[in-house]
Amino acid sequence: MDGRDLVRSVGLVGSKQGLRTMRSAWRRARADARALPARGPERARVPGAVVGAEPEPGGGVVRFARSELRIRVAVGGAVFWGWDGAEPAPSYALPGSAPDADPRAVLEPDKDGGWQVVSERLTVVVSRHGAVELRTPGGVVLRRDLPPRWWEPVAGGPVRWVQRSEVPADARFFGLGGRAGGPRLRSGVYGLWNTDPGGRFGPGDDPLYLTMPVQMVVSDAGTHLVFHDNSWAGRVALREGEEGAGSGHDRPGTSELRVDGGPLRCWVMVGTPARVLQGWAALTGAPAVPPSWALGPQHARWGFGSEREVRRVVAGYRERGLPLSVLHLDIDHFDAHRVFTVDRERFPDLPGLAKELREDGVRLVSIVDPAVAAVPGNAVFDTGAAVGASGAFVRDARGRTVRGEVWPGECVYPDFTDPRVREWWGGLYEERLAQGFSGVWHDMNEPVSFAAFGEPTLPRSSRHSLEGRGGDHREAHNVYGLAMARAGYEGLLRLRPRERPFLFSRSGWAGMQRYGGTWSGDVATGWPGLRASLALVLGLGLCGVPYSGPDVGGFDGSPSPELYLRWFQLGAYLPLFRTHAAIDAGRREPWEFGARVLDGAREVLVERERLRPYWVTLAHLARLTGAPYVRPLWWAAPGDRALRECEDAFLLGDALLVAPVLGPGVEERSVRLPAGRWYDTVSGAVYEGPGQVVVGAPLSRMPVLARAGAVIPVRGADGGLELEVWAPVEGSGGGGSVVRDRGDGWEPVVVERYTSRLVEGRVVVERDGEEGLVDCPVRVRGL
């Protein structure tokens, strides 16, 4: 039981709120039993034999005895297919209409009565019974989908289905959103239903707050990403393959996706990991670029309690020479926990506090929960009730407003799948801006309704607009957080059109990168929670969400000084660098853990700030290319099996290799290196890859290695831009990109590309092929 569970339990047992919570759970169960009757007898169906085909631009329709399959190759190389008439739209994952079809791709007959579509990057082969194979231009099979199977209720209702797939025996699975047990997804079952685990979580807990039906599969044959565009509840059963299994034959890896309703449709992208994620970003939207201040150190705690405590914490950072960019206020700054309010007794002049902190270089960020206190006189409740003909809030199948129990007490929930509701909700952020906040973080938006035992969900029979199509919570649940993020992002953009919005959300779905990032949620304090933090960030990056990070130190308990510092060191090299803790977990300021921890924290904070230009560059490159800031070691060499197995280190961009310490009592650790020369950024020691080396990892620092030839933008001693160049290898150059920080608005982005080479013992750095274009200081290291 974590701090939130404890507070929740103590506050509910024997109280009026507790009785309302129990009644809410009972009402939910009763509503679902009435509106969602048992499925009853079902009929199983498979496609049957092929009966014909109709070519269309980019592909065509293959007809079977009991179904049909539409295949379309889009401009850019992504491939769509959908069964039973499923089309790419409508979709919450896509920012608009589907990409145009590639007229060069043609549906044509294949052997044995099947059909195929040949495109530039892959060939899609459809067998006469409905199996679908993805092949490289050389004919190597990347994935084979067996004929799907549907179960249709005889009395009518949603059709559930299963899709079984095979991949090469050496393939490794990644993705599926935020998974604490990753980043490599081993054999097991993974849920697709965004879930508040009801407290702390660790590597063995699944599902969590942010699930996505997005798989990245890496094998010797190549890399592909498959996205099943369906937001209904589902589960994915993965089984890794085995080479030489059974009389010397390979046993392929398998993926079995079962979904409780909705369309069977998917998108596939193939190529290098970089090309795959570039295609994914082109399909689902470019990642939002956070303001540059959001790339600095951030501090949060549930329970600051007052303006005085906020000032004390900020002063503590400044007095000890510790950089701080952002401070977050949790629900305790609200009046009676009601969103878009302020407790005037504890925060009598919040705009004045925000102005004072901003002048000191610290921005305020506010929590925003979706649950609205169902109290007449509450401005949010009253204005929401006046939206449209029936109000802004989710209703049940009988037309009554659905009520649940959350922090403010009895609450109602905005239906963010309604465009009118999103516009109304986005306008409410004007109050947050007027209070001086510079950004928001969305919490409790799976969404959560406290049941007797903290079970999170609204009734599955609840009705939603779904952009006017109409439907229930079974379809809307997984996209609820995504739609809320859209409402917040678009509202902030309308209110402050010249500023890039800053927003991150605990829950979401495919495409959420368009509106911001995410964080780990309530990760358990402990070494397993530290390891889970890295898994979450890497896995989310491979699903197209590049900006994320954990609660440094863990959410629920009191970390030891060693654990806190190791977590702090890791967090400093992740995109969202934020300390955070529960109300009863104690303070998380670095000076609370002793002088040795304070010194180590200061060192890594200063380095984070020195690398700020590199972080700015990575953020803009993520928007332009889809590449995550944090990448697995196999990013540039997916064919290296040893790198595919490595989960305890990562690349930060192309230039740096970070090897966090994930266990107690470690003074040195082994590191698997990609090919090339690598320099220890502190000791200057030189290592040659590929291979495994042992590097020093004293408590005072975490191993960070730089790639030979790398050109890294850093902040110089005078605060200006400087290029840090790590000596290239003779005969093998290097380079890097730089995007200068032109503010936090929408200024045009210029990507400066630099190269480095070693000429007669001298490092030559050029921009666009000319040494004279380099207009900032260059510092060479590693010679």
Side-chain angles (χ1 to χ4, degrees), residues 69-90:
L69 173 67
R70 170 168 276 108
I71 303 174
R72 183 180 303 159
V73 179
V75 174
V79 179
F80 169 85
W81 69 76
W83 288 92
D84 284 357
E87 295 279 358

PDB file of all heavy atoms in Angstrom, residues 69-90:
ATOM      1  N   LEU A  69     -10.392  -8.477 -47.519  1.00  0.00           N
ATOM      2  CA  LEU A  69      -9.179  -7.845 -47.012  1.00  0.00           C
ATOM      3  C   LEU A  69      -8.786  -6.714 -47.950  1.00  0.00           C
ATOM      4  O   LEU A  69      -8.580  -6.933 -49.154  1.00  0.00           O
ATOM      5  CB  LEU A  69      -8.037  -8.873 -46.932  1.00  0.00           C
ATOM      6  CG  LEU A  69      -6.652  -8.333 -46.578  1.00  0.00           C
ATOM      7  CD1 LEU A  69      -6.626  -7.816 -45.146  1.00  0.00           C
ATOM      8  CD2 LEU A  69      -5.592  -9.413 -46.781  1.00  0.00           C
ATOM      9  N   ARG A  70      -8.705  -5.502 -47.396  1.00  0.00           N
ATOM     10  CA  ARG A  70      -8.246  -4.349 -48.182  1.00  0.00           C
ATOM     11  C   ARG A  70      -6.798  -4.060 -47.841  1.00  0.00           C
ATOM     12  O   ARG A  70      -6.437  -3.934 -46.667  1.00  0.00           O
ATOM     13  CB  ARG A  70      -9.113  -3.134 -47.900  1.00  0.00           C
ATOM     14  CG  ARG A  70      -8.556  -1.843 -48.497  1.00  0.00           C
ATOM     15  CD  ARG A  70      -9.533  -0.704 -48.473  1.00  0.00           C
ATOM     16  NE  ARG A  70     -10.432  -0.751 -49.629  1.00  0.00           N
ATOM     17  CZ  ARG A  70     -11.713  -1.076 -49.579  1.00  0.00           C
ATOM     18  NH1 ARG A  70     -12.255  -1.399 -48.414  1.00  0.00           N
ATOM     19  NH2 ARG A  70     -12.458  -1.084 -50.670  1.00  0.00           N
ATOM     20  N   ILE A  71      -5.946  -3.960 -48.866  1.00  0.00           N
ATOM     21  CA  ILE A  71      -4.526  -3.654 -48.702  1.00  0.00           C
ATOM     22  C   ILE A  71      -4.238  -2.353 -49.439  1.00  0.00           C
ATOM     23  O   ILE A  71      -4.684  -2.155 -50.574  1.00  0.00           O
ATOM     24  CB  ILE A  71      -3.632  -4.779 -49.267  1.00  0.00           C
ATOM     25  CG1 ILE A  71      -3.959  -6.103 -48.595  1.00  0.00           C
ATOM     26  CG2 ILE A  71      -2.159  -4.448 -49.074  1.00  0.00           C
ATOM     27  CD1 ILE A  71      -3.234  -7.279 -49.204  1.00  0.00           C
ATOM     28  N   ARG A  72      -3.480  -1.466 -48.762  1.00  0.00           N
ATOM     29  CA  ARG A  72      -3.140  -0.190 -49.387  1.00  0.00           C
ATOM     30  C   ARG A  72      -1.737   0.212 -48.971  1.00  0.00           C
ATOM     31  O   ARG A  72      -1.447   0.332 -47.772  1.00  0.00           O
ATOM     32  CB  ARG A  72      -4.137   0.886 -48.972  1.00  0.00           C
ATOM     33  CG  ARG A  72      -3.913   2.249 -49.641  1.00  0.00           C
ATOM     34  CD  ARG A  72      -4.940   3.237 -49.166  1.00  0.00           C
ATOM     35  NE  ARG A  72      -6.292   2.750 -49.430  1.00  0.00           N
ATOM     36  CZ  ARG A  72      -7.381   3.195 -48.779  1.00  0.00           C
ATOM     37  NH1 ARG A  72      -7.251   4.106 -47.830  1.00  0.00           N
ATOM     38  NH2 ARG A  72      -8.570   2.717 -49.072  1.00  0.00           N
ATOM     39  N   VAL A  73      -0.862   0.409 -49.944  1.00  0.00           N
ATOM     40  CA  VAL A  73       0.471   0.938 -49.690  1.00  0.00           C
ATOM     41  C   VAL A  73       0.395   2.456 -49.809  1.00  0.00           C
ATOM     42  O   VAL A  73      -0.060   2.982 -50.827  1.00  0.00           O
ATOM     43  CB  VAL A  73       1.505   0.366 -50.677  1.00  0.00           C
ATOM     44  CG1 VAL A  73       2.886   0.962 -50.403  1.00  0.00           C
ATOM     45  CG2 VAL A  73       1.548  -1.152 -50.583  1.00  0.00           C
ATOM     46  N   ALA A  74       0.815   3.142 -48.757  1.00  0.00           N
ATOM     47  CA  ALA A  74       0.725   4.596 -48.740  1.00  0.00           C
ATOM     48  C   ALA A  74       2.015   5.224 -49.242  1.00  0.00           C
ATOM     49  O   ALA A  74       3.089   4.604 -49.226  1.00  0.00           O
ATOM     50  CB  ALA A  74       0.439   5.087 -47.324  1.00  0.00           C
ATOM     51  N   VAL A  75       1.901   6.444 -49.684  1.00  0.00           N
ATOM     52  CA  VAL A  75       3.083   7.218 -50.041  1.00  0.00           C
ATOM     53  C   VAL A  75       3.972   7.324 -48.803  1.00  0.00           C
ATOM     54  O   VAL A  75       3.510   7.682 -47.719  1.00  0.00           O
ATOM     55  CB  VAL A  75       2.686   8.614 -50.538  1.00  0.00           C
ATOM     56  CG1 VAL A  75       3.927   9.478 -50.760  1.00  0.00           C
ATOM     57  CG2 VAL A  75       1.871   8.510 -51.818  1.00  0.00           C
ATOM     58  N   GLY A  76       5.229   6.993 -48.951  1.00  0.00           N
ATOM     59  CA  GLY A  76       6.130   6.961 -47.816  1.00  0.00           C
ATOM     60  C   GLY A  76       6.460   5.556 -47.368  1.00  0.00           C
ATOM     61  O   GLY A  76       7.393   5.360 -46.592  1.00  0.00           O
ATOM     62  N   GLY A  77       5.673   4.568 -47.819  1.00  0.00           N
ATOM     63  CA  GLY A  77       6.036   3.179 -47.568  1.00  0.00           C
ATOM     64  C   GLY A  77       5.210   2.451 -46.533  1.00  0.00           C
ATOM     65  O   GLY A  77       5.297   1.222 -46.440  1.00  0.00           O
ATOM     66  N   ALA A  78       4.407   3.154 -45.714  1.00  0.00           N
ATOM     67  CA  ALA A  78       3.579   2.450 -44.735  1.00  0.00           C
ATOM     68  C   ALA A  78       2.511   1.639 -45.456  1.00  0.00           C
ATOM     69  O   ALA A  78       1.980   2.048 -46.492  1.00  0.00           O
ATOM     70  CB  ALA A  78       2.931   3.442 -43.780  1.00  0.00           C
ATOM     71  N   VAL A  79       2.195   0.472 -44.905  1.00  0.00           N
ATOM     72  CA  VAL A  79       1.211  -0.421 -45.511  1.00  0.00           C
ATOM     73  C   VAL A  79       0.040  -0.595 -44.548  1.00  0.00           C
ATOM     74  O   VAL A  79       0.234  -0.865 -43.358  1.00  0.00           O
ATOM     75  CB  VAL A  79       1.831  -1.790 -45.835  1.00  0.00           C
ATOM     76  CG1 VAL A  79       0.780  -2.720 -46.435  1.00  0.00           C
ATOM     77  CG2 VAL A  79       3.000  -1.628 -46.798  1.00  0.00           C
ATOM     78  N   PHE A  80      -1.166  -0.431 -45.087  1.00  0.00           N
ATOM     79  CA  PHE A  80      -2.386  -0.646 -44.307  1.00  0.00           C
ATOM     80  C   PHE A  80      -3.100  -1.877 -44.822  1.00  0.00           C
ATOM     81  O   PHE A  80      -3.131  -2.133 -46.025  1.00  0.00           O
ATOM     82  CB  PHE A  80      -3.320   0.564 -44.442  1.00  0.00           C
ATOM     83  CG  PHE A  80      -4.703   0.332 -43.888  1.00  0.00           C
ATOM     84  CD1 PHE A  80      -4.969   0.526 -42.546  1.00  0.00           C
ATOM     85  CD2 PHE A  80      -5.745  -0.097 -44.717  1.00  0.00           C
ATOM     86  CE1 PHE A  80      -6.243   0.298 -42.023  1.00  0.00           C
ATOM     87  CE2 PHE A  80      -7.012  -0.319 -44.204  1.00  0.00           C
ATOM     88  CZ  PHE A  80      -7.261  -0.123 -42.851  1.00  0.00           C
ATOM     89  N   TRP A  81      -3.670  -2.665 -43.892  1.00  0.00           N
ATOM     90  CA  TRP A  81      -4.673  -3.626 -44.318  1.00  0.00           C
ATOM     91  C   TRP A  81      -5.759  -3.739 -43.268  1.00  0.00           C
ATOM     92  O   TRP A  81      -5.525  -3.563 -42.074  1.00  0.00           O
ATOM     93  CB  TRP A  81      -4.080  -4.973 -44.690  1.00  0.00           C
ATOM     94  CG  TRP A  81      -3.492  -5.825 -43.616  1.00  0.00           C
ATOM     95  CD1 TRP A  81      -4.143  -6.577 -42.681  1.00  0.00           C
ATOM     96  CD2 TRP A  81      -2.097  -6.063 -43.405  1.00  0.00           C
ATOM     97  NE1 TRP A  81      -3.257  -7.259 -41.902  1.00  0.00           N
ATOM     98  CE2 TRP A  81      -1.990  -6.974 -42.323  1.00  0.00           C
ATOM     99  CE3 TRP A  81      -0.932  -5.618 -44.012  1.00  0.00           C
ATOM    100  CZ2 TRP A  81      -0.769  -7.415 -41.844  1.00  0.00           C
ATOM    101  CZ3 TRP A  81       0.286  -6.058 -43.545  1.00  0.00           C
ATOM    102  CH2 TRP A  81       0.355  -6.944 -42.465  1.00  0.00           C
ATOM    103  N   GLY A  82      -6.966  -3.974 -43.734  1.00  0.00           N
ATOM    104  CA  GLY A  82      -8.113  -4.077 -42.843  1.00  0.00           C
ATOM    105  C   GLY A  82      -9.061  -5.149 -43.328  1.00  0.00           C
ATOM    106  O   GLY A  82      -9.301  -5.298 -44.527  1.00  0.00           O
ATOM    107  N   TRP A  83      -9.624  -5.907 -42.383  1.00  0.00           N
ATOM    108  CA  TRP A  83     -10.567  -6.972 -42.691  1.00  0.00           C
ATOM    109  C   TRP A  83     -12.002  -6.479 -42.534  1.00  0.00           C
ATOM    110  O   TRP A  83     -12.275  -5.537 -41.780  1.00  0.00           O
ATOM    111  CB  TRP A  83     -10.343  -8.166 -41.770  1.00  0.00           C
ATOM    112  CG  TRP A  83      -9.084  -8.942 -42.060  1.00  0.00           C
ATOM    113  CD1 TRP A  83      -7.849  -8.757 -41.507  1.00  0.00           C
ATOM    114  CD2 TRP A  83      -8.960 -10.026 -42.974  1.00  0.00           C
ATOM    115  NE1 TRP A  83      -6.949  -9.661 -42.010  1.00  0.00           N
ATOM    116  CE2 TRP A  83      -7.604 -10.471 -42.918  1.00  0.00           C
ATOM    117  CE3 TRP A  83      -9.834 -10.692 -43.829  1.00  0.00           C
ATOM    118  CZ2 TRP A  83      -7.128 -11.522 -43.693  1.00  0.00           C
ATOM    119  CZ3 TRP A  83      -9.360 -11.745 -44.597  1.00  0.00           C
ATOM    120  CH2 TRP A  83      -8.028 -12.156 -44.533  1.00  0.00           C
ATOM    121  N   ASP A  84     -12.910  -7.148 -43.242  1.00  0.00           N
ATOM    122  CA  ASP A  84     -14.348  -6.875 -43.127  1.00  0.00           C
ATOM    123  C   ASP A  84     -14.688  -5.424 -43.423  1.00  0.00           C
ATOM    124  O   ASP A  84     -15.546  -4.820 -42.785  1.00  0.00           O
ATOM    125  CB  ASP A  84     -14.855  -7.236 -41.718  1.00  0.00           C
ATOM    126  CG  ASP A  84     -15.005  -8.742 -41.505  1.00  0.00           C
ATOM    127  OD1 ASP A  84     -14.780  -9.495 -42.469  1.00  0.00           O
ATOM    128  OD2 ASP A  84     -15.346  -9.144 -40.393  1.00  0.00           O
ATOM    129  N   GLY A  85     -14.000  -4.835 -44.393  1.00  0.00           N
ATOM    130  CA  GLY A  85     -14.306  -3.474 -44.809  1.00  0.00           C
ATOM    131  C   GLY A  85     -13.695  -2.382 -43.964  1.00  0.00           C
ATOM    132  O   GLY A  85     -14.018  -1.198 -44.150  1.00  0.00           O
ATOM    133  N   ALA A  86     -12.820  -2.726 -43.015  1.00  0.00           N
ATOM    134  CA  ALA A  86     -12.196  -1.708 -42.167  1.00  0.00           C
ATOM    135  C   ALA A  86     -11.339  -0.768 -42.998  1.00  0.00           C
ATOM    136  O   ALA A  86     -10.562  -1.197 -43.856  1.00  0.00           O
ATOM    137  CB  ALA A  86     -11.346  -2.380 -41.095  1.00  0.00           C
ATOM    138  N   GLU A  87     -11.475   0.525 -42.736  1.00  0.00           N
ATOM    139  CA  GLU A  87     -10.728   1.575 -43.431  1.00  0.00           C
ATOM    140  C   GLU A  87      -9.767   2.249 -42.446  1.00  0.00           C
ATOM    141  O   GLU A  87      -9.909   2.100 -41.226  1.00  0.00           O
ATOM    142  CB  GLU A  87     -11.688   2.609 -44.010  1.00  0.00           C
ATOM    143  CG  GLU A  87     -12.599   2.079 -45.092  1.00  0.00           C
ATOM    144  CD  GLU A  87     -11.911   2.016 -46.455  1.00  0.00           C
ATOM    145  OE1 GLU A  87     -10.728   2.422 -46.540  1.00  0.00           O
ATOM    146  OE2 GLU A  87     -12.558   1.567 -47.417  1.00  0.00           O
ATOM    147  N   PRO A  88      -8.794   3.019 -42.941  1.00  0.00           N
ATOM    148  CA  PRO A  88      -7.868   3.718 -42.028  1.00  0.00           C
ATOM    149  C   PRO A  88      -8.547   4.725 -41.115  1.00  0.00           C
ATOM    150  O   PRO A  88      -8.058   5.002 -40.024  1.00  0.00           O
ATOM    151  CB  PRO A  88      -6.891   4.409 -42.986  1.00  0.00           C
ATOM    152  CG  PRO A  88      -6.966   3.629 -44.254  1.00  0.00           C
ATOM    153  CD  PRO A  88      -8.389   3.157 -44.350  1.00  0.00           C
ATOM    154  N   ALA A  89      -9.649   5.303 -41.549  1.00  0.00           N
ATOM    155  CA  ALA A  89     -10.357   6.304 -40.750  1.00  0.00           C
ATOM    156  C   ALA A  89     -11.763   5.796 -40.451  1.00  0.00           C
ATOM    157  O   ALA A  89     -12.318   4.988 -41.206  1.00  0.00           O
ATOM    158  CB  ALA A  89     -10.394   7.633 -41.500  1.00  0.00           C
ATOM    159  N   PRO A  90     -12.333   6.266 -39.316  1.00  0.00           N
ATOM    160  CA  PRO A  90     -11.783   7.221 -38.348  1.00  0.00           C
ATOM    161  C   PRO A  90     -10.772   6.566 -37.419  1.00  0.00           C
ATOM    162  O   PRO A  90     -10.844   5.365 -37.163  1.00  0.00           O
ATOM    163  CB  PRO A  90     -13.017   7.674 -37.575  1.00  0.00           C
ATOM    164  CG  PRO A  90     -13.932   6.486 -37.623  1.00  0.00           C
ATOM    165  CD  PRO A  90     -13.719   5.859 -38.962  1.00  0.00           C
TER     166      PRO A  90
END
